[in-house]
């Protein structure tokens, strides 16, 4: 198939075939990072602006490395150091960036739909590195890539995502991607953070960890934020860990060959214990490696798309 | 002024229970008159058209003074005229707010100079709409306000709300309340439901509106006074209103054309022309609202016309101000969605835009009987057209209805016999 999109905004927009195409492309790029000279000229001469309106360390470094390995020219911008502080609108800021003849903007923003909004007004490509709780397509793609690599397939697998689902862009993107590739998806966590409305798109909703983990081939543990505790979503991280954390006892609910995943950064002994994070079921660090390959694939596809 | 006779129109006059083809005269003083009494009249043939009393919109933001980049009294009233409205109630959340006699007198002066339709002032319930101290309600009444509202805001202190309702009753001022419980609504940018969950946006639960509707019903019952619920949007609110009205409590409700036509699913485009407060709700809520219109639980259609500049609205969805314009699209959207789809017939739609709002404001006898001021609207029920925001008289363009194919068009509007809009 031929890649035709100038932007990558959300997995909701993509077909199963397009997602598979990205995964296949990433497989090729994964090999680049295993060579002695970790560089290909795929984006040579192209300019990429990393515009992180919402701050990030890991995703930004991952995108930056991906861009460098593709030989692109890079500019990094952060909100605190931009004219947004002077009251310039987001649209004016990105139009000014576009006027510098850049080819791609990789953006993270705390407002859902911000990238979709600017993409309509820009002729250069936009890659969504996260927009509020709405979407984080490259994270879901790397999660799904990891699953496919380890399990040989995605269709028919039982994947459970545990945590603060309602506030999670990682959960949402994973849900769309996994459903489009034919996986069975379960979301689990406290009732205040895992609303029944997800059932309307064919996702199973569980407020009990044992039920959620039984028969799971993959479990993806999400980070719990302390702010949710002060906002009244759950009483304490202690109680959260007891009922929804992966520990020596709750691991027994899982099949022995189940994958344990986490988008990072992990709170050891909150979502999962240190032993499990470092244990044989964990693929957490491989997710990070795969993230680089996925981002190279995405940047290559949208960066080289025929206008 | 030249006399004229409007001939052969279908005259729909809900106030006098008239729906028949006939002729209506307008005399030199701009009052309705028997055609036979006019000696020198120009004849305007309106065969196939409908003539009705001019529409009354009890919920309009004119933005003047304070945000005249978005709208002025001149442009806002021109938009009203284009929509068939001959009287509009100006919401008090201007800058400065309409919480002093001075602000009301300014509005009168500006309207006298610039308005092409009747502008009825609405006073604040509380000073600065802050929900803390009662505004000078008696003086505002003397200055000419027709109602009280803190629209945009909602008094959270129930004890204060109770005192205001009691006090306002003695001055014969109806209360119009924007029903929103702040803690439940906090941080929300759209309806809390399936779509806010799928999109990862903070939601405003229906409960935020319903809790205040319930509180208002209790006070209306206890004090026996008139509380009008602005922009009702949820099924639960309709249910509460229906039960209260069945008992005879003096509560009324209004629905906007957008809440009757659009739902929260529209937000998936992240287009800020779908962002307003209260938000677009679920399909179930929309259908319950339509049922409320059909069974007269909701007796008023009002636009909540809320102009915003392109600069203000062309931002990330979370940061965009709430509100859309509505004066110039209200009739056609409602005709298409309610009359063509046989929810209510045309006379009942006209009722909800004329005698219904007149009742809320305590205006008796709002009709086209001879001797009354000739405020009327002429409608072409057969017209079909595509809404084009570039033709709007409003200064603003923040509408979700641009490009929408609709039926029924306002083709003429007159205030005091003077034609203020003609296609």
């Amino acid at each position: 198939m031929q890649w035709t999109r100038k932007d990558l905004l959300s997995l909701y927009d993509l077909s199963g075939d397009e997602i598979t195409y990205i995964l296949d492309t990433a497989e090729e790029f994964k090999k680049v990072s295993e060579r002695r000279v970790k560089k290909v000229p795929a984006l040579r001469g192209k300019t990429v602006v990393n515009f992180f309106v919402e701050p990030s360390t890991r995703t930004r470094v991952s995108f930056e490395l991906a861009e460098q390995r593709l030989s692109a020219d890079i500019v990094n911008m952060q909100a605190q150091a931009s004219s947004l502080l002077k009251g310039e609108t987001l649209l004016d800021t990105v139009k000014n960036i576009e006027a510098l003849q850049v080819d791609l903007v990789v953006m993270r923003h705390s407002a859902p739909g911000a990238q979709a909004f600017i993409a309509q007004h820009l002729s250069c490509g936009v890659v969504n590195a996260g927009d509020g709780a709405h979407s984080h397509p490259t994270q879901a793609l790397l999660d799904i890539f990891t699953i496919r690599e380890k399990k040989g397939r995605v269709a028919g697998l039982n994947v459970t995502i545990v945590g603060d689902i309602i506030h999670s862009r990682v959960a949402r993107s994973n849900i769309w991607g996994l459903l489009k590739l034919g996986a069975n998806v379960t979301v689990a966590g406290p009732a205040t953070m895992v609303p029944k409305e997800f059932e309307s798109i064919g996702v199973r909703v569980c407020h009990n960890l044992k039920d959620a983990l039984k028969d799971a081939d993959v479990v993806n543990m999400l980070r719990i934020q302390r702010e949710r505790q002060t906002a009244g979503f759950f009483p304490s991280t202690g109680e959260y860990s007891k009922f929804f954390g992966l520990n020596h006892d709750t691991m027994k609910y899982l099949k022995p060959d189940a994958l344990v995943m986490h988008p990072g950064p992990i709170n050891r002994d909150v979502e999962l214990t240190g032993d499990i994070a470092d244990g044989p079921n964990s693929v957490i660090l491989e997710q990070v490696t795969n993230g680089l390959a996925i981002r190279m694939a995405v940047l290559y596809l949208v960066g080289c798309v025929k206008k | 002024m030249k006399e004229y006779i409007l001939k052969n129109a279908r005259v729909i006059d809900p106030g006098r229970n008239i729906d028949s083809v006939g002729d209506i005269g307008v005399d030199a003083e701009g009052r309705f008159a028997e055609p036979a009494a006019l000696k020198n009249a120009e004849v305007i043939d309106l065969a196939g058209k409908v003539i009705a009393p001019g529409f009354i919109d009890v919920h309009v933001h004119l933005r003047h003074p304070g945000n005249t980049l978005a709208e002025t009294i001149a442009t806002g009233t021109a938009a009203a005229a284009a929509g068939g409205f001959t009287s509009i109630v100006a919401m008090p959340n201007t800058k400065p707010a309409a919480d002093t006699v001075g602000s009301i007198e300014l509005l009168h002066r500006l309207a006298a100079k610039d308005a092409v339709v009747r502008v009825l002032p609405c006073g604040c319930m509380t000073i600065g709409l802050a929900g803390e101290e009662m505004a000078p309600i008696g003086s505002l009444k003397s200055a000419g306000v027709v109602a009280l509202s803190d629209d945009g805001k909602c008094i959270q202190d129930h004890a204060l709300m109770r005192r205001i309702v009691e006090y306002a009753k003695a001055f014969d001022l109806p209360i119009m309340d924007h029903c929103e419980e702040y803690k439940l609504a906090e941080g929300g940018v759209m309806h809390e439901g399936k779509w806010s969950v799928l999109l990862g946006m903070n939601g405003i639960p229906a409960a935020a509106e319903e809790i205040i509707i319930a509180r208002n019903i209790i006070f209306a019952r206890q004090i026996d006074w008139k509380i009008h619920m602005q922009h009702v949007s949820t099924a639960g609110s309709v249910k509460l209103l229906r039960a209260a009205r069945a008992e005879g409590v003096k509560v009324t409700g209004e629905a906007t054309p957008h809440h009757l036509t659009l739902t929260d699913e529209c937000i998936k485009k992240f287009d800020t022309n779908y962002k307003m407060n209260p938000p677009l709700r679920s399909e179930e809520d929309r259908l319950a609202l339509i049922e409320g219109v059909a069974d007269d639980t909701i007796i008023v259609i009002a636009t909540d016309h809320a102009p915003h500049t392109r600069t203000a609205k062309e931002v990330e969805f979370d940061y965009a101000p709430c509100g859309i314009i509505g004066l110039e699209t209200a009739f056609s959207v409602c005709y298409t969605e309610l009359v063509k789809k046989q929810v209510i017939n045309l006379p009942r739609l006209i009722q909800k835009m004329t005698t219904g709002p007149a009742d809320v404001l305590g205006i008796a006898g709002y009709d086209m009987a001879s001797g009354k001021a000739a405020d009327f609207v002429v409608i072409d029920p057969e017209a079909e057209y595509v809404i084009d925001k570039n033709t709007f008289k409003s200064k603003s363009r923040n509408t979700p209805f641009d490009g929408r194919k609709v039926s029924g068009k306002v083709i003429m509007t007159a205030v005091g016999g003077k034609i203020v809009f003609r296609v």
Side-chain angles (χ1 to χ4, degrees):
Chain A
M1 65 155 274
Q2 172 98 308
W3 183 264
T4 53
R5 293 176 188 273
K6 81 161 174 82
D7 311 303
L8 178 64
L9 300 173
S10 168
L11 294 192
Y12 177 80
D13 307 324
L14 302 189
S15 66
D17 282 347
E18 285 175 298
I19 294 175
T20 303
Y21 190 62
I22 297 175
L23 302 182
D24 293 343
T25 309
E27 254 179 46
E28 294 307 309
F29 280 110
K30 189 165 177 176
K31 298 173 193 163
V32 174
S33 297
E34 286 156 8
R35 296 180 201 158
R36 194 174 62 83
V37 177
K38 303 179 198 343
K39 216 138 171 99
V40 285
L43 288 188
R44 190 166 66 182
K46 294 215 189 255
T47 312
V48 182
V49 173
N50 294 317
F51 187 21
F52 280 70
V53 184
E54 186 187 81
S56 160
T57 321
R58 311 140 53 77
T59 304
R60 191 169 52 77
V61 169
S62 180
F63 265 106
E64 238 186 278
L65 275 175
E67 289 147 16
Q68 284 180 3
R69 291 184 187 177
L70 292 170
S71 306
D73 294 329
I74 305 168
V75 174
N76 285 314
M77 285 177 64
Q78 258 131 253
Q80 314 92 277
S82 80
S83 295
L84 290 173
L85 276 184
K86 297 184 192 170
E88 188 177 40
T89 65
L90 181 69
L91 192 52
D92 276 336
T93 305
V94 297
K95 293 221 83 139
N96 272 267
I97 293 172
E98 183 179 53
L100 298 167
Q101 319 275 55
V102 310
D103 300 284
L104 279 183
V105 176
V106 175
M107 186 163 104
R108 171 174 281 194
H109 197 299
S110 54
Q115 287 82 332
F117 161 56
I118 60 153
Q120 277 170 26
H121 293 270
L122 294 178
S123 55
C124 64
V126 177
V127 175
N128 184 359
D131 60 334
H134 174 240
S135 183
H136 193 357
T138 57
Q139 179 67 44
L141 286 165
L142 73 89
D143 288 345
I144 295 169
F145 181 89
T146 308
I147 294 171
R148 188 175 88 157
E149 197 182 52
K150 292 290 182 192
K151 294 287 185 183
R153 64 187 170 114
V154 178
L157 289 182
N158 297 324
V159 180
T160 294
I161 310 173
V162 181
D164 185 0
I165 307 291
I166 194 172
H167 297 108
S168 172
R169 53 185 167 220
V170 173
R172 283 184 179 85
S173 288
N174 262 282
I175 288 169
W176 293 121
L178 289 166
L179 287 177
K180 290 191 193 229
L181 294 183
N184 306 314
V185 183
T186 299
V187 290
T192 45
M193 304 198 293
V194 188
K196 293 222 135 270
E197 278 81 356
F198 282 108
E199 286 172 352
S200 70
I201 48 169
V203 170
R204 186 169 72 114
V205 170
C206 256
H207 300 133
N208 175 294
L209 189 66
K210 186 173 177 187
D211 289 342
L213 295 184
K214 193 166 90 75
D215 298 331
D217 298 301
V218 178
V219 61
N220 199 340
M221 306 301 293
L222 303 180
R223 187 174 64 91
I224 283 298
Q225 292 176 277
R226 263 160 238 284
E227 300 90 272
R228 306 298 171 213
Q229 178 183 335
T230 42
F233 283 87
F234 60 86
S236 67
T237 48
E239 179 149 317
Y240 180 85
S241 299
K242 182 170 163 190
F243 289 95
F244 295 101
L246 261 190
N247 53 49
H248 177 69
D249 294 321
T250 55
M251 272 302 275
K252 295 183 186 137
Y253 304 151
L254 264 183
K255 292 198 285 204
D257 64 344
L259 299 180
V260 171
M261 301 175 64
H262 192 303
I266 61 182
N267 284 329
R268 283 174 179 259
D269 297 341
V270 178
E271 299 95 53
L272 71 180
T273 58
D275 286 346
I276 294 168
D278 302 330
N281 297 76
S282 165
V283 293
I284 294 173
L285 292 174
E286 282 164 270
Q287 286 172 265
V288 176
T289 307
N290 293 333
L292 198 32
I294 282 285
R295 288 172 178 129
M296 289 174 78
V298 165
L299 289 162
Y300 165 69
L301 289 172
V302 300
C304 296
V305 74
K306 300 274 173 284
K307 300 235 192 271
Chain B
M1 203 191 86
K2 190 146 192 348
E3 303 171 335
Y4 54 94
I5 297 173
L6 305 152
K7 270 188 95 64
N8 301 322
R10 177 181 171 195
V11 177
I12 298 182
D13 194 4
R16 291 183 298 160
N17 233 328
I18 290 175
D19 179 5
S20 54
V21 175
D23 306 334
I24 292 199
V26 176
D27 67 20
E29 278 76 51
R31 294 173 310 209
F32 291 119
E34 285 305 318
L38 303 174
K39 305 298 165 217
N40 226 349
E42 181 193 330
V43 170
I44 303 177
D45 184 28
L46 294 179
K49 311 289 185 275
V50 170
I51 173 172
F55 301 146
I56 300 174
D57 192 347
V58 296
H59 196 153
V60 179
H61 296 274
L62 288 174
R63 306 296 192 212
H64 194 172
N67 188 5
T68 49
L69 274 180
E71 195 81 281
T72 62
I73 289 184
T75 59
T77 56
F85 295 93
T86 54
S87 294
I88 57 178
V89 178
M91 286 297 103
N93 62 336
T94 43
K95 287 182 172 54
D99 59 3
T100 60
V101 169
S103 312
I104 304 301
E105 294 195 342
L106 174 63
L107 186 63
H108 282 308
R109 187 162 64 77
L110 291 170
K113 187 164 70 77
D114 295 336
V116 298
V117 305
R118 301 180 200 280
V119 176
L120 309 176
C122 179
C124 298
M125 283 196 269
T126 64
I127 294 176
L129 304 144
E132 285 166 9
E133 264 183 85
M134 203 190 283
I137 288 171
S139 303
L140 291 173
K141 168 80 182 195
S142 305
V145 305
V146 301
L148 298 169
S149 179
D150 265 8
D151 182 50
K153 299 290 176 83
C154 177
I155 296 171
Q156 304 292 293
D157 177 347
H158 308 308
L160 176 63
M161 181 66 176
R162 175 257 186 101
R163 293 292 172 224
I164 287 174
V165 178
E166 282 176 342
Y167 195 82
K169 176 178 179 180
F171 288 97
D172 199 26
L173 280 173
I175 303 284
M176 304 203 291
D177 204 27
H178 162 110
C179 305
E180 182 183 346
E181 202 290 323
Y182 288 167
K183 289 219 140 227
L184 284 171
E186 196 173 7
V189 298
M190 66 177 287
H191 172 59
E192 183 188 274
K194 169 180 154 182
W195 281 99
S196 68
V197 166
L198 293 184
L199 292 173
M201 318 257 272
N202 290 321
I204 301 171
E209 177 174 300
E210 291 158 12
I211 280 177
I212 300 297
I213 295 233
R215 120 79 199 242
N216 287 346
I217 288 171
I218 288 167
F219 289 149
R221 182 193 291 118
Q222 178 188 327
I223 298 164
D224 191 31
W225 189 232
K226 303 193 293 185
I227 302 184
H228 174 71
M229 316 296 172
Q230 297 179 300
H231 43 51
V232 175
S233 71
T234 80
S237 297
V238 174
K239 211 163 148 196
L240 287 166
L241 271 174
R242 186 179 283 124
R245 286 170 62 79
E247 286 178 57
V249 180
K250 293 183 167 82
V251 287
T252 52
E254 76 193 23
T256 66
H258 48 275
H259 287 108
L260 289 167
T261 347
L262 305 171
T263 63
D264 55 353
E265 184 171 352
C266 297
I267 313 289
K268 69 184 179 192
K269 308 173 221 173
F270 298 108
D271 180 344
T272 59
N273 287 314
Y274 295 98
K275 184 176 182 186
M276 70 285 293
N277 195 14
L280 297 174
R281 303 276 188 189
S282 70
E283 179 66 1
E284 293 71 44
D285 290 309
R286 187 184 79 88
L287 293 173
L289 204 55
I290 287 191
E291 217 187 293
V293 165
D295 73 9
D296 279 345
T297 299
I298 305 279
I299 59 161
V300 171
I301 284 173
T303 64
D304 194 4
H305 178 86
H308 286 292
T309 59
R310 182 167 68 97
T311 304
K313 280 291 220 180
E314 208 168 48
V315 295
E316 302 88 305
F317 194 91
D318 275 3
Y319 306 157
C322 291
I324 56 168
I325 50 176
L327 286 166
E328 297 174 80
T329 50
F331 176 77
S332 299
V333 167
C334 289
Y335 185 80
T336 310
E337 197 61 33
L338 299 172
V339 177
K340 295 283 287 200
K341 294 195 180 168
Q342 302 186 321
V343 173
I344 52 173
N345 60 22
L346 182 55
R348 289 186 66 207
L349 173 60
I350 288 172
Q351 206 173 29
K352 290 180 200 290
M353 298 178 77
T354 57
T355 50
D359 281 346
V360 169
L361 298 176
I363 297 170
Y366 188 68
D367 58 49
M368 300 193 284
S370 294
K372 297 207 173 155
D375 290 359
F376 65 85
V377 57
V378 180
I379 294 159
D380 180 358
E382 299 308 312
E384 304 220 325
Y385 69 103
V386 173
I387 292 174
D388 177 6
K389 66 183 180 183
N390 296 314
T391 63
F392 286 175
K393 306 274 190 267
S394 168
K395 240 173 147 172
S396 291
R397 295 286 176 268
N398 52 320
T399 175
F401 296 122
D402 189 39
R404 190 180 184 97
K405 196 149 171 252
V406 289
S407 311
K409 200 178 204 313
V410 166
I411 59 173
M412 192 194 303
T413 308
V415 176
K418 177 165 172 233
I419 295 173
V420 293
F421 171 74
R422 197 165 189 172
V423 132

